[in-house]
C-alpha cells in the first residue's frame, strides 16, 4: 500500500512528491497526457531562469527531478478512484493501486463537451457518474459520450444494467469495445433534446437517436470528474480546498490549477508543497 | 427534530400536506456523493429546526417517488413548499448554498 498517490506530474504534483518522498513516504506519481505547461512557449515569470524556460522543458525536468529522488513515476491514465474502508483504490488503464492518501494535481481541464442541452438536462437524464446513477436506467437505452479509456470504463459499469448502450464519440475515433448490447456512433452531435428530460440526440447529419439518458465521460478524466464520483465539493469545476489543501474527504488533497485561483506555476508549486507537508502529518498521525 | 425517514407511505402526509417548508434528500447507500451529503443534511436539520422539515428518501426502496419527481441522479435535494417542489439541487452541494435557498 502506498502512503500517497499523486495524480499529475506538473509543478503541483512533482512539488508535493519532493516533500513526501524526502519524508520517506511511499510515494507514487501517476500521470498521462499533456500538462498545461507543455503548451507554454516560454515561462519568463518563474523564479530562477535568467532567460526563461520552455514549458515543455520545465515539465520534463520536474519529472526527472522526482525520479532522481527515487519516487516511482508511472505513465498511466487514471480512470477511477474508489473509497475503501482504509484509504483508496486508484484504478488506471493498466492496474489498480492501494493508497492511504490521494493528491489531485490534474491541472485545469474542462472536459464537459460544449453541446447544446447538456447543461440544461443535468440530473434530468444527463449524468456524470455511472456508479451513482446507473440504477435509474435499468433496461433502458442509454448513451455514453466519450471515446477514450474513461468512456469505456463508464460503459463497463453500465453494461449489465442497461438494455442498450450507444457510445457517442462526437466525431472522434471510435474505441475498441465488444459487447452484444454496445454500439458505437462516431457522428458529430448537434444537440441533446427533450421536454422535461433527455429524449433524443440529434446529430450534425440531421439523424436522431432516441435515448433515456446520457452519461458524459469525455476525454481523460480530471479532478472534477473524480470529485463527482467520490463526493468532493467543487465550485465551478474547481476542487474546493481549505488552506491546508484538504478537500472535504479526509485523506484527499488537491493542489495547483485544479483548485482554481491564479493559474500559474508559482501557485502550483506552493500548493503542491503545502499538500505534501499536510499529507506527511496525516500519514504519521494514522500510523 | 431529527431527520425523518420518508417513504411512499408517509410522503403525502409528511411532505405534500406539510405546513412547513420541507427539504428532501433523495439518496442511495451505494452512492459515494450521497454519503458525503448525508452529514450536511443532518446539520441543516439541526440548524433549521422548527423552521424547515428535513427528510431523506432511499430511492432503492422508494422508486415510485423517484420516478414521480423525475429524480435521475443522486444525490438530489428537492425543497417543497405547500406540497409543490420549488427548488432542486443535483449533486453534492455546500451547506451554505442549500441554507441560502431556505431563507
Ligand atoms: C499556453 C499557456 C501558457 C502558460 N504560461 C505560463 C507562464 O508564462 N507562467 C506561469 O507561471 N504559468 C503559465 N501557464 C500556466 C501553467 O502551465 C499552469 O499553471 C501549471 O502547469 C499548473 O500546474 P499543475 O501541476 O496544477 O497542472 P499541470 O501542469 O496541467 O499538470 C497536470 C498533470 O495531470 C496529469 N493528469 C491529468 N489527468 C490525469 C489522469 N486522468 N490520469 C493521469 N494523469 C492525469 C497530466 O498528465 C499532467 O501531468 C501557462 C499555461 C498555458 C496553457
Amino acid at each position: 500500500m502506498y502512503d500517497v498517490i499523486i495524480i499529475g506530474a506538473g509543478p503541483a504534483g512533482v512539488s508535493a512528491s519532493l516533500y513526501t518522498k524526502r519524508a520517506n513516504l511511499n510515494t507514487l506519481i501517476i500521470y498521462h497526457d499533456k500538462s498545461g505547461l507543455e503548451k507554454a512557449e516560454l515561462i519568463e515569470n518563474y523564479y530562477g531562469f535568467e532567460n526563461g524556460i520552455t514549458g515543455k522543458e520545465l515539465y520534463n525536468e520536474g519529472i526527472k527531478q522526482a525520479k532522481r529522488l527515487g519516487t516511482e513515476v508511472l505513465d498511466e491514465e487514471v480512470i477511477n478512484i474508489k473509497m475503501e474502508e482504509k484509504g483508496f483504490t486508484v484504478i488506471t488503464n493498466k492496474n489498480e493501486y492501494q493508497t492511504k492518501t490521494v493528491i489531485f494535481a490534474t491541472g485545469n481541464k474542462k472536459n464537459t463537451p460544449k453541446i447544446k442541452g447538456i447543461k440544461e438536462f443535468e440530473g434530468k437524464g444527463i449524468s456524470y457518474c455511472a456508479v451513482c446513477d446507473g440504477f435509474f436506467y435499468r433496461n433502458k437505452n442509454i448513451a455514453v459520450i466519450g471515446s477514450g479509456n474513461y468512456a469505456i470504463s463508464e460503459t463497463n459499469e453500465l453494461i449489465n444494467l442497461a438494455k442498450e448502450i450507444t457510445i457517442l464519440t462526437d466525431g472522434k475515433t471510435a474505441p475498441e469495445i465488444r459487447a452484444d448490447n454496445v454500439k458505437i456512433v462516431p457522428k458529430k452531435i448537434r444537440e441533446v433534446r427533450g421536454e422535461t428530460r433527455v429524449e433524443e440526440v440529434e446529430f450534425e447529419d440531421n439523424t436522431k437517436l432516441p435515448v433515456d439518458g446520457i452519461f458524459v465521460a469525455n476525454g481523460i478524466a480530471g479532478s472534477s470528474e473524480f470529485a463527482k464520483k467520490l463526493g468532493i465539493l467543487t465550485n465551478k469545476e474547481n476542487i474546493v480546498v481549505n488552506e491546508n489543501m484538504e478537500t472535504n474527504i479526509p485523506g484527499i488533497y488537491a493542489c495547483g490549477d485544479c483548485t482554481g485561483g491564479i493559474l500559474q506555476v508559482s501557485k502550483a508549486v506552493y500548493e503542491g508543497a503545502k499538500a505534501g507537508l499536510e499529507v506527511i502529518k496525516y500519514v504519521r498521525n494514522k500510523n | 427534530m431529527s431527520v425523518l425517514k420518508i417513504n411512499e407511505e408517509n410522503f403525502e402526509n409528511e411532505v405534500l400536506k406539510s405546513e412547513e417548508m420541507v427539504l428532501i434528500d433523495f439518496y442511495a447507500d451505494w452512492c459515494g456523493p450521497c454519503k458525503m451529503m448525508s452529514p450536511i443534511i443532518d446539520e441543516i436539520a439541526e440548524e433549521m429546526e422548527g423552521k424547515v422539515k428535513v427528510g431523506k428518501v432511499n430511492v432503492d426502496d422508494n422508486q415510485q417517488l423517484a420516478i414521480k419527481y423525475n429524480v435521475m441522479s443522486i444525490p438530489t435535494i428537492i425543497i417543497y413548499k405547500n406540497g409543490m417542489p420549488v427548488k432542486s439541487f443535483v449533486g453534492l452541494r455546500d451547506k451554505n448554498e442549500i441554507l441560502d435557498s431556505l431563507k
Side-chain angles (χ1 to χ4, degrees), chain A residues 265-279:
Chain A
V265 174
S266 51
K267 181 256 191 191
V269 167
Y270 165 72
E271 289 194 353
K274 184 70 182 159
L277 290 167
E278 291 300 319
V279 162

Side-chain angles (χ1 to χ4, degrees), chain A residues 8-9 11-12 31-33 35-36 45 59 78 109 220-221 257 264-265:
Chain A
Y31 77 103
H32 184 70
D33 202 46
S35 140
N45 56 1
Y59 185 61
V78 177
K109 8 174 210 208
I220 292 175
D257 280 4
Q264 291 280 291
V265 174

Side-chain angles (χ1 to χ4, degrees), chain A residues 64-268:
Chain A
K64 283 197 260 172
Q65 183 185 14
K67 284 183 177 162
R68 196 177 126 69
L69 272 182
T71 297
E72 215 178 322
V73 184
L74 297 176
D75 182 351
E76 292 178 18
E77 180 183 342
V78 177
I79 52 177
N80 207 348
I81 300 168
K82 290 198 170 130
M83 227 188 297
E84 310 289 355
E85 204 130 320
K86 283 200 179 118
F88 308 91
T89 301
V90 175
I91 300 161
T92 72
N93 57 330
K94 298 201 180 123
N95 222 325
E96 291 193 12
Y97 306 92
Q98 263 70 45
T99 179
K100 291 177 193 159
T101 62
V102 172
I103 299 179
F104 284 114
T106 51
N108 167 47
K109 8 174 210 208
K110 305 277 181 269
N111 275 333
T112 311
K114 289 186 185 63
I115 296 167
K116 201 170 154 208
I118 289 203
K119 275 261 162 268
E120 290 93 306
F121 288 112
E122 276 176 8
K124 298 277 171 269
I126 295 286
S127 169
Y128 298 94
C129 178
V131 201
C132 314
D133 300 339
F135 161 85
F136 296 103
Y137 298 95
R138 270 179 300 198
N139 296 314
K140 301 226 162 131
N141 293 321
I142 56 180
V144 172
I145 297 184
S147 58
N149 290 321
Y150 178 48
I152 301 277
S153 156
E154 288 289 272
T155 303
N156 283 332
E157 297 273 3
L158 298 163
I159 236 164
N160 294 321
L161 284 165
K163 188 157 130 208
E164 192 168 75
I165 304 175
T166 310
I167 299 180
L168 304 176
T169 72
D170 193 23
K172 303 210 178 68
T173 315
E176 284 274 339
I177 182 163
R178 235 165 262 171
D180 289 341
N181 60 342
V182 178
K183 27 173 224 186
I184 296 175
V185 173
K187 293 190 257 192
K188 272 250 175 223
I189 302 168
R190 177 182 294 149
E191 188 180 346
V192 172
R193 286 212 297 240
E195 285 282 320
T196 56
R197 47 148 86 189
V198 169
E199 287 167 25
E200 65 179 21
V201 178
E202 189 182 282
F203 299 99
E204 290 288 357
D205 66 1
N206 296 323
T207 58
K208 287 174 189 149
L209 176 78
V211 288
D212 299 305
I214 299 174
F215 288 80
V216 179
N218 217 28
I220 292 175
S223 51
S224 79
E225 281 76 26
F226 298 127
K228 282 177 186 134
K229 293 187 199 320
L230 289 161
I232 297 173
L233 279 171
T234 54
N235 182 4
K236 300 194 180 87
E237 313 249 316
N238 297 321
I239 304 289
V240 175
V241 288
N242 63 14
E243 69 277 12
N244 295 330
M245 303 299 126
E246 294 165 315
T247 67
N248 59 311
I249 299 184
I252 301 189
Y253 297 74
C255 51
D257 280 4
C258 69
T259 67
I262 51 166
L263 307 180
Q264 291 280 291
V265 174
S266 51
K267 181 256 191 191

Side-chain angles (χ1 to χ4, degrees), chain A residues 2 21 26-30 66-67 70-74 97:
Chain A
Y2 288 97
K21 185 68 196 173
N26 193 0
T27 304
L28 170 65
I29 298 180
I30 304 177
K67 284 183 177 162
T71 297
E72 215 178 322
V73 184
L74 297 176
Y97 306 92

Side-chain angles (χ1 to χ4, degrees), chain B residues 32-62:
Chain B
C34 300
K35 285 189 197 122
M36 303 310 296
M37 195 74 243
S38 186
I40 297 176
I41 298 296
D42 296 347
E43 282 174 33
I44 291 173
E46 217 162 90
E47 281 178 42
M48 299 304 286
E49 172 148 22
K51 292 183 202 131
V52 179
K53 193 193 277 189
V54 176
K56 294 184 187 177
V57 170
N58 182 324
V59 294
D60 219 356
D61 303 333
N62 300 283

